[in-house]
Amino acid sequence: MMKTVSTEITAGLQAQVQSQSFEGVLNRMQVPADQSKQIVEAAMGKVSSNLVMTNPQPAGMQNQMAPMFITMALYVGAMIYSMQSVGGLRSLQQQMGKWKAFFSLRLVNLLISLIAPLIAIGIYFMVQGYGMETFMKLWLLHSVQLFVCIEFTSIFIMLLGQGGMLINLPILLSQTIANGTTMPPEMMPGYFKFMSHITPMFYSTHLDYNILFGGGKTSDYGIGLALVGLAALAINIVIHQFKSARQIDDVKETVQQSVMV
């Protein structure tokens, strides 16, 4: 995008300088037309763009798109896993108790979050290696990202059951734009800019870019990802509290009606 803008600005400057400056000055100086044209063409060749790239990426589309696709793959995995884990939670809490089952599942989520990213990152590093230090940073980052994504996608599953996928899918599609890979945040429409602040893919993708290629605001992105995860965990706790209470009341009501009959 920046290269395109630079090219358009340079072409505009050339046309403006040619039409308004050099030709007008030379005509007033009564320079012959042929000589004036030669002078203007020589001057136009000196107007050029100088685009300085900060934090350049290695050549290849795989480097440009890797942060987006690694993050998206783990997000899709988290979305599918959350659907299965919430279903398992409902059966576990009958055996272990409401809160013991809830926090035990969070420990399982944490364990999965530590193991699963090794597969995605390992495949990427087999194709394009960046060294062990970068590998460890990406592994820890995507472990946090996967845990946050599990909590985030679990919100709608805990609220609506299997029907929560009808909300998770549009949110996933929205994040393909809101993650900032295909469109800078400054150019996003209001909806996608809002989604970038409350969803995990934006922060994870930008942290990937910073780790792999360099960049600023690393701490801001890290704090943003952590806040999304904490907020999602808090919402899940509230949902679990009230939804479990409602289910217990429904069971008691059914039992009382059976006894009365």
Side-chain angles (χ1 to χ4, degrees):
M1 288 182 179
M2 291 304 301
K3 288 180 180 178
T4 302
V5 171
S6 174
T7 302
E8 292 178 354
I9 292 175
T10 302
L13 286 174
Q14 288 177 347
Q16 185 177 4
V17 170
Q18 182 174 356
S19 61
Q20 297 180 2
S21 300
F22 285 113
E23 287 187 352
V25 171
L26 294 174
N27 288 335
R28 286 194 295 270
M29 295 174 64
Q30 298 181 349
V31 177
D34 294 340
Q35 187 178 355
S36 174
K37 184 178 180 179
Q38 293 177 359
I39 295 173
V40 170
E41 289 177 354
M44 289 305 96
K46 296 180 180 180
V47 179
S48 61
S49 61
N50 181 24
L51 190 63
V52 179
M53 300 292 293
T54 60
N55 308 312
Q57 303 169 13
M61 185 63 71
Q62 74 275 13
N63 294 296
Q64 181 180 353
M65 302 305 294
M68 173 182 175
F69 283 111
I70 292 174
T71 299
M72 184 179 293
L74 291 173
Y75 187 94
V76 172
M79 187 170 62
I80 298 171
Y81 168 76
S82 64
M83 182 172 60
Q84 302 297 325
S85 64
V86 171
L89 174 63
R90 292 169 182 169
S91 59
L92 282 176
Q93 64 184 359
Q94 297 176 0
Q95 304 173 7
M96 303 175 63
K98 180 173 66 175
W99 291 110
K100 187 176 180 181
F102 181 85
F103 288 109
S104 295
L105 181 60
R106 264 60 206 170
L107 291 176
V108 174
N109 294 348
L110 182 61
L111 182 61
I112 292 174
S113 298
L114 289 171
I115 296 173
L118 289 172
I119 301 172
I121 298 172
I123 293 172
Y124 178 58
F125 269 69
M126 288 172 63
V127 178
Q128 185 80 37
Y130 290 94
M132 183 55 65
E133 182 180 355
T134 303
F135 180 88
M136 295 299 294
K137 288 180 180 179
L138 282 181
W139 173 43
L140 293 176
L141 163 62
H142 285 291
S143 294
V144 175
Q145 178 238 328
L146 183 57
F147 185 81
V148 171
C149 290
I150 291 173
E151 293 297 330
F152 184 82
T153 56
S154 293
I155 293 173
F156 307 104
I157 303 298
M158 293 189 70
L159 274 174
L160 304 174
Q162 303 297 319
M165 291 295 287
L166 298 177
I167 298 178
N168 276 331
L169 285 174
I171 291 178
L172 169 63
L173 296 176
S174 297
Q175 289 183 86
T176 58
I177 301 297
N179 65 42
T181 302
T182 58
M183 182 181 294
E186 292 78 10
M187 299 180 64
M188 290 180 188
Y191 167 75
F192 293 108
K193 190 174 291 186
F194 171 74
M195 292 297 293
S196 70
H197 292 298
I198 65 169
T199 52
M201 281 182 64
F202 173 81
Y203 302 106
S204 177
T205 300
H206 281 72
L207 286 169
D208 268 355
Y209 275 117
N210 286 4
I211 292 173
L212 292 172
F213 314 122
K217 297 185 179 180
T218 299
S219 58
D220 292 346
Y221 294 135
I223 292 171
L225 182 63
L227 289 176
V228 171
L230 290 173
L233 178 59
I235 293 171
N236 284 330
I237 290 174
V238 173
I239 294 172
H240 185 67
Q241 167 65 29
F242 288 99
K243 192 162 187 177
S244 297
R246 188 180 67 186
Q247 289 174 345
I248 291 171
D249 289 341
D250 291 343
V251 171
K252 288 181 178 179
E253 215 173 285
T254 304
V255 171
Q256 288 175 356
Q257 289 175 357
S258 299
V259 171
M260 290 176 65
V261 172

